[in-house]
mmCIF file of all heavy atoms in Angstrom:
data_model
loop_
_atom_site.group_PDB
_atom_site.id
_atom_site.type_symbol
_atom_site.label_atom_id
_atom_site.label_comp_id
_atom_site.label_asym_id
_atom_site.label_seq_id
_atom_site.Cartn_x
_atom_site.Cartn_y
_atom_site.Cartn_z
ATOM 1 N N GLY A 115 -12.251 118.530 -43.050
ATOM 2 C CA GLY A 115 -12.053 119.206 -44.246
ATOM 3 C C GLY A 115 -13.001 118.910 -45.162
ATOM 4 O O GLY A 115 -13.466 119.777 -46.033
ATOM 5 N N TYR A 116 -13.426 117.573 -45.348
ATOM 6 C CA TYR A 116 -14.423 117.101 -46.298
ATOM 7 C C TYR A 116 -15.783 117.803 -45.954
ATOM 8 O O TYR A 116 -16.436 118.302 -46.893
ATOM 9 C CB TYR A 116 -14.617 115.659 -46.199
ATOM 10 C CG TYR A 116 -15.795 115.009 -46.901
ATOM 11 C CD1 TYR A 116 -15.715 114.865 -48.282
ATOM 12 C CD2 TYR A 116 -16.975 114.988 -46.242
ATOM 13 C CE1 TYR A 116 -16.900 114.461 -49.043
ATOM 14 C CE2 TYR A 116 -18.202 114.352 -46.895
ATOM 15 C CZ TYR A 116 -18.102 114.142 -48.300
ATOM 16 O OH TYR A 116 -19.052 113.812 -49.017
ATOM 17 N N ILE A 117 -16.191 117.748 -44.693
ATOM 18 C CA ILE A 117 -17.400 118.526 -44.336
ATOM 19 C C ILE A 117 -17.488 119.920 -44.708
ATOM 20 O O ILE A 117 -18.338 120.492 -45.301
ATOM 21 C CB ILE A 117 -17.575 118.222 -42.860
ATOM 22 C CG1 ILE A 117 -17.918 116.778 -42.482
ATOM 23 C CG2 ILE A 117 -18.944 119.033 -42.354
ATOM 24 C CD1 ILE A 117 -18.072 116.386 -41.048
ATOM 25 N N ASN A 118 -16.208 120.582 -44.475
ATOM 26 C CA ASN A 118 -16.029 122.038 -44.823
ATOM 27 C C ASN A 118 -16.195 122.194 -46.317
ATOM 28 O O ASN A 118 -16.461 123.413 -46.757
ATOM 29 C CB ASN A 118 -14.869 122.708 -44.260
ATOM 30 C CG ASN A 118 -14.832 122.665 -42.690
ATOM 31 O OD1 ASN A 118 -15.796 122.560 -42.031
ATOM 32 N ND2 ASN A 118 -13.557 122.924 -42.119
ATOM 33 N N GLY A 119 -15.919 121.295 -47.089
ATOM 34 C CA GLY A 119 -15.660 121.479 -48.595
ATOM 35 C C GLY A 119 -16.862 121.481 -49.349
ATOM 36 O O GLY A 119 -16.894 121.652 -50.620
ATOM 37 N N GLY A 120 -18.144 121.417 -48.738
ATOM 38 C CA GLY A 120 -19.381 121.542 -49.412
ATOM 39 C C GLY A 120 -20.521 121.756 -48.587
ATOM 40 O O GLY A 120 -20.361 121.737 -47.243
ATOM 41 N N ASP A 121 -21.695 121.989 -49.010
ATOM 42 C CA ASP A 121 -22.851 122.306 -48.252
ATOM 43 C C ASP A 121 -23.452 121.109 -47.586
ATOM 44 O O ASP A 121 -24.092 121.251 -46.607
ATOM 45 C CB ASP A 121 -23.933 123.019 -49.108
ATOM 46 C CG ASP A 121 -23.491 124.371 -49.484
ATOM 47 O OD1 ASP A 121 -22.700 125.015 -48.750
ATOM 48 O OD2 ASP A 121 -23.989 124.949 -50.548
ATOM 49 N N THR A 122 -23.285 119.883 -48.328
ATOM 50 C CA THR A 122 -23.860 118.643 -47.773
ATOM 51 C C THR A 122 -22.766 117.473 -47.791
ATOM 52 O O THR A 122 -21.732 117.668 -48.388
ATOM 53 C CB THR A 122 -25.009 118.221 -48.646
ATOM 54 O OG1 THR A 122 -24.569 117.993 -49.974
ATOM 55 C CG2 THR A 122 -26.159 119.291 -48.532
ATOM 56 N N ILE A 123 -23.083 116.483 -47.023
ATOM 57 C CA ILE A 123 -22.313 115.313 -46.982
ATOM 58 C C ILE A 123 -22.948 114.434 -47.969
ATOM 59 O O ILE A 123 -24.117 114.301 -48.167
ATOM 60 C CB ILE A 123 -22.397 114.656 -45.636
ATOM 61 C CG1 ILE A 123 -21.618 115.582 -44.648
ATOM 62 C CG2 ILE A 123 -21.554 113.219 -45.640
ATOM 63 C CD1 ILE A 123 -21.855 115.014 -43.189
ATOM 64 N N GLY A 124 -22.129 113.860 -48.814
ATOM 65 C CA GLY A 124 -22.443 113.000 -50.028
ATOM 66 C C GLY A 124 -23.381 111.888 -49.681
ATOM 67 O O GLY A 124 -23.168 111.151 -48.633
ATOM 68 N N ASP A 125 -24.188 111.612 -50.613
ATOM 69 C CA ASP A 125 -25.243 110.303 -50.459
ATOM 70 C C ASP A 125 -24.421 109.027 -50.483
ATOM 71 O O ASP A 125 -24.940 108.077 -50.024
ATOM 72 C CB ASP A 125 -26.199 110.378 -51.537
ATOM 73 C CG ASP A 125 -27.171 111.497 -51.385
ATOM 74 O OD1 ASP A 125 -27.403 112.079 -50.279
ATOM 75 O OD2 ASP A 125 -27.890 111.906 -52.359
ATOM 76 N N ASN A 126 -23.145 109.108 -50.952
ATOM 77 C CA ASN A 126 -22.445 107.836 -51.023
ATOM 78 C C ASN A 126 -21.618 107.545 -49.883
ATOM 79 O O ASN A 126 -21.068 106.458 -49.552
ATOM 80 C CB ASN A 126 -21.528 107.825 -52.186
ATOM 81 C CG ASN A 126 -20.496 108.917 -52.079
ATOM 82 O OD1 ASN A 126 -20.665 109.892 -51.493
ATOM 83 N ND2 ASN A 126 -19.414 108.876 -53.030
#
Side-chain angles (χ1 to χ4, degrees):
Y116 169 82
I117 295 173
N118 292 349
D121 293 330
T122 61
I123 297 172
D125 291 338
N126 59 344

